[in-house]
Amino acid sequence: ANLEQEPHGVLKVTAPVTFSTLYLAPICRELHRRYPHLQLDLQLSDGMSNMIDEPIDVAVRIGVLGD
């Protein structure tokens, strides 16, 4: 039954500043149009995020991964 419901609530996303400006900002209006009950909490940061200590749903990072 939950699969048929429209997404709602807060989606917390962290992403690099430049990536967000170039790729995420242009699609935010369309995302809101399609899912008006979904609130996007976009946190822009070029630093690493600790997804265990911080309430983050999605983290986008670009670059070479360390071991």
Side-chain angles (χ1 to χ4, degrees), residues 22-58:
L22 294 174
Y23 298 102
L24 296 183
I27 64 171
C28 283
R29 180 173 286 167
E30 178 63 18
L31 180 70
H32 180 68
R33 187 189 70 73
R34 286 188 186 188
Y35 307 107
H37 301 290
L38 183 66
Q39 181 181 1
L40 183 62
D41 179 357
L42 185 57
Q43 300 173 11
L44 306 182
S45 172
D46 291 327
M48 296 298 289
S49 297
N50 184 337
M51 293 182 69
I52 294 171
D53 294 336
E54 299 176 40
I56 304 284
D57 298 309
V58 178

Side-chain angles (χ1 to χ4, degrees), residues 3-19:
L3 295 177
E4 295 179 15
Q5 293 180 1
E6 180 178 320
H8 63 280
V10 178
L11 178 64
K12 295 183 179 188
V13 178
T14 180
V17 176
T18 302
F19 176 84

